[in-house]
Amino acid sequence: MKSQKALTINPIGYIESPYKEKFAIPRQPGLVTAAKGKVILTGKANNAELVKGLAQFSHIWLLFVFHGTQEKGWKNFVRPPRLGGNKKIGVLATRSTFRPNPIGMSVVKLESIELITQQVILHISGLDLLDQTPIIDIKPYVAYSDALSDTKAGFANSQPEAKINVSFTSQAQLALTKFCKQIPELALLIEQVLMQDPRPAYRQGKADNKIYGMRLYHLNIQWQMQTLNNVLVSVITSEPPLVQSE
Ligand code: SAM
């Protein structure tokens, strides 16, 4: 066996994301297009020379560290939520965050590149990343090689069709109107996040009377899956949450 050298990886930046906690982050990029974020380059990578030519690409790959879960380590088997959370699959056959090396990869839309004094910022959308996620590399998405059509994807063959309607109480609607002045895409963001049914695997496909709380930007949002296809958002507030998320 050839000797394998340990590799030290230094982040080249970090993410600013509307997702302030793991709960309710979509399971893959591109599912919530209204999610807008930023890649803030840092250290020696915070240099406009590194991104020269990148604006010609509509999408980029982000390689990142699952910093929110890396302490928890990994196991050979995981139970993908898509299989209801009760079937075991080998970790390398999944996109689980709990992996031998806690490294993730996501294709996101590159909206623009901003160069302000001493700071390079990539504006992105469609991300599935927790706020402050360390970025270890960025590569352009190249469709001729990255977009494959003749493929099979086992248990993750297709994205289940979203059939969930999202409605707001009149109180939540008032708050939405207020906060949309600061975050114009907020209504769409909440709708798209809830259409993914962020509840734990064992609750999927069932109505339940639990009130869930989720954090997007500086806001705490409470909602309930009233029936199998209907979510009601009851509270949108910048106050601390009254309800803990799962
Ligand atoms: N697209 C990536 C991949 O395939 O490597 C991530 C897929 S992983 C299934 C997506 C989940 O990772 C999100 O739903 C969120 O719960 C979690 N996540 C995102 N950023 C994270 C971070 N920095 N630390 C830990 N978990 C994170």
Side-chain angles (χ1 to χ4, degrees), residues 98-234:
F98 305 100
R99 343 186 39 85
N101 290 307
I103 291 176
M105 46 187 264
S106 294
V107 176
V108 296
K109 187 164 185 209
L110 178 60
E111 299 284 351
S112 62
I113 300 180
E114 188 179 11
L115 306 170
I116 44 178
T117 338
Q118 308 290 321
Q119 186 58 64
V120 181
I121 301 172
L122 309 188
H123 294 267
I124 57 171
S125 64
L127 62 162
D128 59 345
L129 306 177
L130 186 61
D131 194 40
Q132 303 299 307
T133 293
I135 296 296
I136 56 172
D137 205 356
I138 296 171
K139 301 186 190 206
Y141 173 85
V142 286
Y144 83 85
S145 171
D146 293 348
L148 307 173
S149 53
D150 186 17
T151 65
K152 58 179 188 172
F155 68 88
N157 210 17
S158 63
Q159 168 60 13
E161 206 186 318
K163 295 192 195 97
I164 294 173
N165 304 308
V166 181
S167 53
F168 297 83
T169 61
S170 49
Q171 188 201 9
Q173 190 64 57
L174 273 179
L176 192 59
T177 309
K178 175 177 140 197
F179 292 120
C180 273
K181 289 182 188 134
Q182 296 162 260
I183 310 164
E185 71 281 8
L186 183 62
L188 189 59
L189 177 63
I190 294 172
E191 279 174 24
Q192 289 185 344
V193 165
L194 294 178
M195 281 164 68
Q196 305 299 316
D197 193 351
R199 295 176 303 160
Y202 70 93
R203 303 259 198 195
Q204 302 277 316
K206 300 173 199 143
D208 72 64
N209 52 16
K210 184 175 157 61
I211 296 177
Y212 292 86
M214 65 180 184
R215 290 172 61 205
L216 295 175
Y217 291 100
H218 63 298
L219 301 173
N220 292 297
I221 298 159
Q222 286 176 23
W223 52 273
Q224 193 176 16
M225 187 68 76
Q226 288 201 311
T227 68
L228 202 53
N229 307 106
N230 291 290
V231 179
L232 182 66
V233 179
S234 50

Side-chain angles (χ1 to χ4, degrees), residues 80 89-95 99 155:
I89 300 282
V91 63
L92 299 184
T94 75
R95 305 291 280 264
R99 343 186 39 85
F155 68 88

Side-chain angles (χ1 to χ4, degrees), residues 5-13 42 63-66 70 100-104 134-139:
K5 274 194 189 165
L7 171 69
T8 305
I9 292 180
N10 295 309
I12 60 166
T42 52
L63 301 183
F64 59 91
V65 179
F66 286 115
Q70 73 184 116
N101 290 307
I103 291 176
I135 296 296
I136 56 172
D137 205 356
I138 296 171
K139 301 186 190 206

Side-chain angles (χ1 to χ4, degrees), residues 19 26-34 82 126-127 159 192-193 196:
Y19 303 118
R27 296 187 176 99
Q28 284 301 337
L31 301 174
V32 173
T33 54
R82 193 185 273 268
L127 62 162
Q159 168 60 13
Q192 289 185 344
V193 165
Q196 305 299 316

